[in-house]
């Protein structure tokens, strides 16, 4: 498990894998080393999810700004 963000994972894939990591950590019974590796993977996945969400937020804000500048009455 690396600290590098896996840019090939989509939001849903990263979110689902993060949920699996949390489930495994909550279940316990892992060695310290395995727990730390899972924690690190979870941190990486959380950062990737944040990036995806920030990108989506930016796209929505840009679309709304473009619609406002064109005088779209549905954005008022």
């Amino acid at each position: 498990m690396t600290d590098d963000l896996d840019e090939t994972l989509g939001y849903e894939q990263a979110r689902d894998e993060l949920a699996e990591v949390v489930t495994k950590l909550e279940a316990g019974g892992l060695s310290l080393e395995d727990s730390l590796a899972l924690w690190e993977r979870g941190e990486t996945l959380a950062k990737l999810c944040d990036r995806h969400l920030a990108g989506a937020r930016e796209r929505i804000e840009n679309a709304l700004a473009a619609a406002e500048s064109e005088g779209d009455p549905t954005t008022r």
Side-chain angles (χ1 to χ4, degrees):
M1 295 185 195
T2 67
D3 288 340
D4 299 326
L5 292 180
D6 186 349
E7 299 295 338
T8 63
L9 286 180
Y11 171 76
E12 290 81 5
Q13 292 170 309
R15 179 202 60 212
D16 292 347
E17 187 179 340
L18 179 57
E20 290 175 21
V21 166
V22 170
T23 299
K24 288 177 185 176
L25 287 170
E26 287 178 341
L30 300 169
S31 69
L32 178 59
E33 190 61 35
D34 288 343
S35 294
L36 287 173
L38 271 176
W39 179 270
E40 290 169 348
R41 180 62 180 167
E43 288 290 325
T44 298
L45 291 165
K47 288 176 187 174
L48 182 57
C49 287
D50 282 344
R51 270 193 178 173
H52 281 296
L53 292 173
R57 187 177 304 112
E58 182 178 350
R59 287 177 60 191
I60 290 169
E61 290 170 356
N62 289 341
L64 289 173
E68 283 180 8
S69 70
E70 294 173 5
D72 186 346
T74 61
T75 60
R76 293 182 191 159

